[in-house]
Amino acid sequence: MPSLQHGIDKAGSPIGLLWQPNAEPWTPEVVEREYTGWRQEQAAWHEGVALLNLSHHMYDMWIDGPDATRVLAEYGVNNFEKFAIGQAKQYVPVTRDGKIVTDGILARHAENKYLLSGVPASQHWVQYHAEKAGYDVEFETDASSAFRPGGGDPKLFRYQIQGPLALELIEKVFGRPLPETKFFHATPVTLDGRSFEALRHGMAGQAGYEFIGPWEHAGHVHDAFLKAGEPLGLVQVGALAYTTPSVESGWIPSPVPGIYTDPELGEYRAWLPLFGIEGKRPLNGSFFSENIEDYYVSPYELGYGKLIHFAHDFHGRDALLKAKEEPRRTKVTLVFDADDVRRVVGGGEDPGFVLTYARHRVETSAGLVGTTMQTASIDPVGTVLAQSLVDSAHAEPGTEVTVVWGEHPGPGTDPDADLGFPRIRATVQPSPFDRHARTEYRRNA
């Protein structure tokens, strides 16, 4: 099986491997692209109640054994001294240079038993270092449905119930309100004799829960929510709309892992498969650099500074201490001018659904000031929003910028060449864009 390092060597560089102009944006597998239409599905979690099926697109890795907490703490920035059984955290591993590998959701099931879910780059990182150091820990992985060996069903179902009517629907299904649960904490629940858990979780500032349990109960739980939700106007959310709440809630889903250049990670790159997330998540957009390090990000830039717990020793700690005082980019939301979106993206008409993870140049009269990270149509807002990283001097809300909308061809063309790409005017706003998500989201955590 070819390794990531093999792919880099064959392509000539990490950029040669990853750069793919006009790359199709990722959307979740298995679930329908749309059920009632992406606009109605977005409206549901703003105005009513929505059901989202998260069962198929994430990787799950169970980490169990006497050294489970030790290895997670040594390779993650998080506070494990305050990590209750039944709690989940956004797990943030970084390289020795303080660049993020990628985040994941880490749930603590017992003193030394965890479930790490999400994009598999963080799982690879933990497993590699544990195996290399000979830690007493076992791993069990369930790939996403698109990559599960032999096909078959997931081990777990995950259904989110979100929106202003979410708690009313949940009370109807269970016959009573759920116990008071802190944000990102789980409470056990039972439905018709079937046991699973409810994780207190919201998206884009809305109230809701994520229900997680054995796949054998998936159909029954799903049908129960559909039946009880019908009088409330429950809307199932398809793959298109599902990708967009992150743009409102301020989570950047596709940072480039900072693993491609450090000579000390040569063995790690040789361990990683080429046909994994690290070798196949494409880069594209109007911002192009031959140096992959120009795409690396620090947890500070992603808004994860509050998660860094310096009271324990961890891989990359010294680099993050230094970076704490250094100038860096700020995460912001860009609100695109709706007329420019119609002109540039839609040819003068409604462009329909817009989604891209492209790194588009963000400019002012001073030149390049940042890049977009994820861009999507948000129908309740009436335009396109982009989660972006910009120089702090240009991060003040109300700052006017332009987004260069186009696809640089990649190696062989000057990164700074004027390729005649159109510009879209945009205004800087805070990230998260949603006020509730920005001010109260984690207050009761």
Side-chain angles (χ1 to χ4, degrees):
M1 179 184 296
S3 69
L4 175 62
Q5 188 62 56
H6 175 82
I8 293 171
D9 293 342
K10 187 175 180 180
S13 69
I15 289 293
L17 175 66
L18 298 175
W19 194 260
Q20 297 180 33
N22 297 301
E24 283 293 318
W26 172 87
T27 56
E29 52 260 34
V30 179
V31 299
E32 298 288 339
R33 288 174 66 80
E34 298 175 275
Y35 289 96
T36 59
W38 66 270
R39 298 178 192 275
Q40 296 93 324
E41 292 163 21
Q42 284 186 339
W45 67 71
H46 283 271
E47 302 169 2
V49 60
L51 186 155
L52 301 91
N53 186 351
L54 286 63
S55 306
H56 294 281
H57 71 270
M58 293 194 290
Y59 279 63
D60 286 320
M61 186 171 76
W62 288 264
I63 307 167
D64 190 6
D67 289 335
T69 300
R70 176 187 169 196
V71 68
L72 287 163
E74 287 184 1
Y75 287 92
V77 309
N78 307 78
N79 185 348
F80 281 79
E81 296 173 8
K82 295 182 178 180
F83 197 159
I85 295 171
Q87 183 181 4
K89 291 190 176 188
Q90 201 162 8
Y91 182 65
V92 181
V94 297
T95 67
R96 66 175 180 142
D97 298 320
K99 304 304 183 184
I100 194 165
V101 175
T102 204
D103 62 324
I105 300 302
L106 183 67
R108 191 170 198 171
H109 290 172
E111 185 67 24
N112 279 300
K113 186 175 184 178
Y114 299 83
L115 174 61
L116 181 56
S117 304
V119 175
S122 60
Q123 300 164 354
H124 294 159
W125 183 255
V126 172
Q127 183 172 358
Y128 168 80
H129 286 290
E131 292 178 352
K132 182 180 179 182
Y135 288 5
D136 187 359
V137 62
E138 295 181 353
F139 299 94
E140 181 184 357
T141 299
D142 186 30
S144 69
S145 290
F147 296 96
R148 187 173 298 111
D153 296 325
K155 292 183 180 295
L156 299 175
F157 71 79
R158 279 189 180 85
Y159 301 129
Q160 274 192 14
I161 302 295
Q162 301 287 340
L165 301 180
L167 300 185
E168 182 178 346
L169 170 58
I170 290 167
E171 184 173 348
K172 285 186 64 176
V173 169
F174 291 96
R176 63 190 183 284
L178 295 186
E180 186 71 24
T181 306
K182 291 182 178 181
F183 178 82
F184 247 39
H185 287 66
T187 188
V189 295
T190 302
L191 178 65
D192 302 326
R194 296 164 175 85
S195 297
F196 47 103
E197 67 178 24
L199 177 68
R200 180 70 178 86
H201 181 38
M203 63 184 202
Q206 302 299 338
Y209 280 85
E210 189 170 305
F211 295 92
I212 307 168
W215 181 256
E216 63 192 75
H217 302 328
H220 184 87
V221 174
H222 190 265
D223 290 346
F225 279 116
L226 288 182
K227 183 178 180 180
E230 189 171 351
L232 298 176
L234 173 71
V235 172
Q236 293 189 74
V237 174
L240 297 185
Y242 172 79
T243 63
T244 63
S246 53
V247 177
E248 291 184 81
S249 64
W251 177 64
I252 291 177
S254 53
V256 172
I259 62 163
Y260 296 93
T261 47
D262 185 349
E264 290 193 10
L265 291 178
E267 183 180 321
Y268 180 56
R269 293 189 293 271
W271 179 86
L272 286 169
L274 172 60
F275 298 104
I277 191 74
E278 297 88 349
K280 291 300 177 183
R281 177 63 66 86
L283 281 172
N284 64 298
S286 60
F287 173 77
F288 172 74
S289 171
E290 295 275 9
N291 184 2
I292 190 69
E293 294 184 8
D294 289 337
Y295 297 90
Y296 292 175
V297 295
S298 94
Y300 290 113
E301 293 176 311
L302 297 179
Y304 298 159
K306 292 181 179 179
L307 301 179
I308 301 173
H309 178 62
F310 284 113
H312 79 291
D313 192 23
F314 60 88
H315 192 75
R317 181 180 182 275
D318 291 345
L320 287 184
L321 274 172
K322 183 179 179 182
K324 190 176 182 181
E325 308 303 327
E326 293 177 346
R328 55 181 178 266
R329 296 170 298 180
T330 299
K331 183 174 65 171
V332 301
T333 305
L334 299 185
V335 181
F336 284 23
D337 180 271
D339 289 336
D340 282 4
V341 171
R342 283 188 288 269
R343 173 180 58 85
V344 173
V345 184
E349 305 294 334
D350 181 349
F353 184 74
V354 176
L355 173 68
T356 179
Y357 302 94
R359 275 29 173 200
H360 287 316
R361 294 174 63 96
V362 180
E363 298 180 340
T364 67
S365 57
L368 177 70
V369 297
T371 65
T372 62
M373 300 293 284
Q374 184 192 4
T375 305
S377 302
I378 308 295
D379 191 63
V381 180
T383 188
V384 169
L385 303 182
Q387 283 297 311
S388 305
L389 299 179
V390 302
D391 297 341
S392 296
H394 301 278
E396 185 70 24
T399 301
E400 295 182 355
V401 298
T402 59
V403 176
V404 181
W405 195 262
E407 293 287 325
H408 193 285
T413 300
D414 186 341
D416 297 317
D418 184 354
L419 301 175
F421 293 142
R423 266 64 173 171
I424 296 175
R425 292 171 292 172
T427 304
V428 172
Q429 293 297 341
S431 177
F433 179 74
D434 179 88
R435 183 206 61 80
H436 187 280
R438 188 168 66 248
T439 60
E440 300 178 21
Y441 198 43
R442 299 175 182 269
R443 179 168 294 177
N444 187 28

